[in-house]
Amino acid sequence: MAKKIKVTQIRSVIGRPNDQKLTIQALGLGRINKTVEKTATPQVEGMIRKVSHLVTVTEG
């Protein structure tokens, strides 16, 4: 079964470059403390790495 991860936005995108804003949006986030559950694919992991300073990641 595919590994699931929970991604939570912890910092605002105000004043961030547009590509980081779009990456947050593509992850399904947009508000501080919003959490989404994603399948841990290489594409999603790369998106998380790009905005790692704005989000936290937990297993499950």
Side-chain angles (χ1 to χ4, degrees):
M1 190 166 119
K3 187 169 117 180
K4 295 281 188 174
I5 54 176
K6 289 185 180 179
V7 184
T8 305
Q9 183 176 348
I10 56 165
R11 299 200 57 194
S12 173
V13 294
I14 295 173
R16 301 291 175 183
N18 196 43
D19 63 329
Q20 291 179 12
K21 291 179 185 180
L22 293 174
T23 301
I24 289 287
Q25 199 174 43
L27 284 169
L29 301 170
R31 289 181 312 223
I32 295 175
N33 291 327
K34 184 170 182 183
T35 302
V36 294
E37 189 169 311
K38 296 284 185 184
T39 304
T41 63
Q43 293 84 2
V44 170
E45 289 173 358
M47 293 167 73
I48 291 169
R49 195 173 308 115
K50 189 171 183 179
V51 292
S52 62
H53 54 292
L54 304 176
V55 299
T56 58
V57 180
T58 55
E59 299 292 324

